[in-house]
Amino acid sequence: MSVVALLNAERIKLSTTRSTLWIAAAVAAVSVVLAAAQGALAHPLSTLEPGRTAIGVTVFGIPVLMVLASMTMTSEYRSGMIRTTFIAAPNRTLVLLAKAAVVSVFSAIYAGVLAVCSVAVARATAPASAAAGLAVGSPEVLRLAAAVAVYAALAAVLGVGVGALLRAAPGAVAVLLLWPLVVETILANLPDVGPRIGPYLPFENIFVFTEVPWLYPVYDMPWGPVGSLIYFAALVVVVYDAAITVVNLRDA
């Protein structure tokens, strides 16, 4: 099977799976509702920052898209379809690359668009004075959309890697949701532990890059935003490379 045919097959699988539609709709709903709430609750005498309007898509939406990415692996293992996939395309590395490419492009575009939509919704619901910095075409908003898109693309690759390593959907979902939303948040806020390990938490670093505020304390990072992106990307590469190695070594 050629690379183009393999990419097209993965695109069809993703676009024709009912769960993709429901997950995408849920991510959009959470993003828009939280953006509207940020705008409505903004203080009239303060300026609402673009990053704060994108909390919905960045903090909650992208982890759910990671789960969707993991399902491209776990659902095939659950149904046994993975054997058919590997028979049609014996190069297992190429299969994982195709899955990651398709789902990362989808996640990047979708999350980037939702980031812009979140800014627009917050601007519409916020007091005029608070919405002064929320012009959709401003450099700050475009930078936010690009950063969120990059984060979503990397997170999707991470999701495919975790799905390939664990095979089972419950385990993958637990890891991909608890890791950024619970484990890192707790560790970062522990009085004695947080200051020492906080700057090295992967999702803390990617939030530094996106400039979206969350429940992480402010640390003196050993590198700037670009360094934080590289740090997170390096983790993704390690997990994804481990997944490729394991998939090639064990039986389908």
Side-chain angles (χ1 to χ4, degrees), residues 6-7 10 13 69 72-73 76-77 82 85-86 89-104 156-165 239-248 250:
L6 190 55
L7 288 170
E10 293 302 329
K13 289 178 188 178
T72 62
M73 293 299 304
E76 290 202 30
Y77 277 110
I82 195 68
T85 299
F86 287 154
N91 188 332
R92 297 184 178 190
T93 299
L94 195 59
V95 171
L96 262 69
L97 290 173
K99 288 181 180 294
V102 170
V103 76
S104 63
V157 177
L158 180 62
V160 173
V162 171
L165 287 171
V239 173
Y240 189 67
D241 185 62
I244 290 176
T245 301
V246 170
V247 167
N248 278 290
R250 68 187 179 189

Side-chain angles (χ1 to χ4, degrees), residues 10 23 30 66 69-70 88 95 112 119 124 166 194 206 238:
E10 293 302 329
I23 288 174
V30 170
M66 279 199 295
S70 73
V95 171
V119 173
L166 299 182
I206 200 63
V238 169

Side-chain angles (χ1 to χ4, degrees), residues 121-135:
V121 169
R123 179 181 175 86
T125 58
S129 56
L134 299 180

Side-chain angles (χ1 to χ4, degrees), residues 20 28 51 85 105 116 126-127 173 177 212 225 227 234:
T20 301
T85 299
V105 169
V116 175
V173 170
L177 293 183
V212 173

Side-chain angles (χ1 to χ4, degrees), residues 31-244:
S31 302
V32 170
V33 168
L34 289 182
Q38 288 287 341
L41 298 174
H43 195 283
L45 300 180
S46 64
T47 301
L48 184 59
E49 298 176 355
R52 189 167 294 278
T53 69
I55 286 177
V57 59
T58 308
V59 175
F60 301 105
I62 291 179
V64 175
L65 292 177
M66 279 199 295
V67 171
L68 174 62
S70 73
M71 289 170 58
T72 62
M73 293 299 304
T74 59
S75 62
E76 290 202 30
Y77 277 110
R78 185 186 69 250
S79 65
M81 179 63 72
I82 195 68
R83 297 184 182 90
T84 304
T85 299
F86 287 154
I87 291 172
N91 188 332
R92 297 184 178 190
T93 299
L94 195 59
V95 171
L96 262 69
L97 290 173
K99 288 181 180 294
V102 170
V103 76
S104 63
V105 169
F106 166 76
S107 297
I109 295 174
Y110 194 61
V113 170
L114 284 179
V116 175
C117 291
S118 297
V119 173
V121 169
R123 179 181 175 86
T125 58
S129 56
L134 299 180
V136 172
S138 68
E140 292 79 10
V141 172
L142 295 179
R143 189 266 175 200
L144 171 68
V148 170
V150 170
Y151 170 28
L154 290 172
V157 177
L158 180 62
V160 173
V162 171
L165 287 171
L166 299 182
R167 293 191 178 189
V173 170
V175 169
L176 294 171
L177 293 183
L178 293 178
W179 182 3
L181 296 177
V182 178
V183 175
E184 282 203 11
T185 306
I186 292 175
L187 290 176
N189 287 279
L190 289 176
D192 296 327
V193 177
R196 292 199 301 271
I197 69 170
Y200 304 100
L201 295 174
F203 286 92
E204 156 72 1
N205 275 271
I206 200 63
F207 276 104
V208 168
F209 171 71
T210 61
E211 298 181 0
V212 173
W214 184 226
L215 299 178
Y216 294 103
V218 178
Y219 300 113
D220 290 328
M221 304 298 288
W223 38 67
V226 175
S228 293
L229 172 63
I230 294 172
Y231 183 86
F232 183 78
L235 169 78
V236 172
V237 169
V238 169
V239 173
Y240 189 67
D241 185 62
I244 290 176

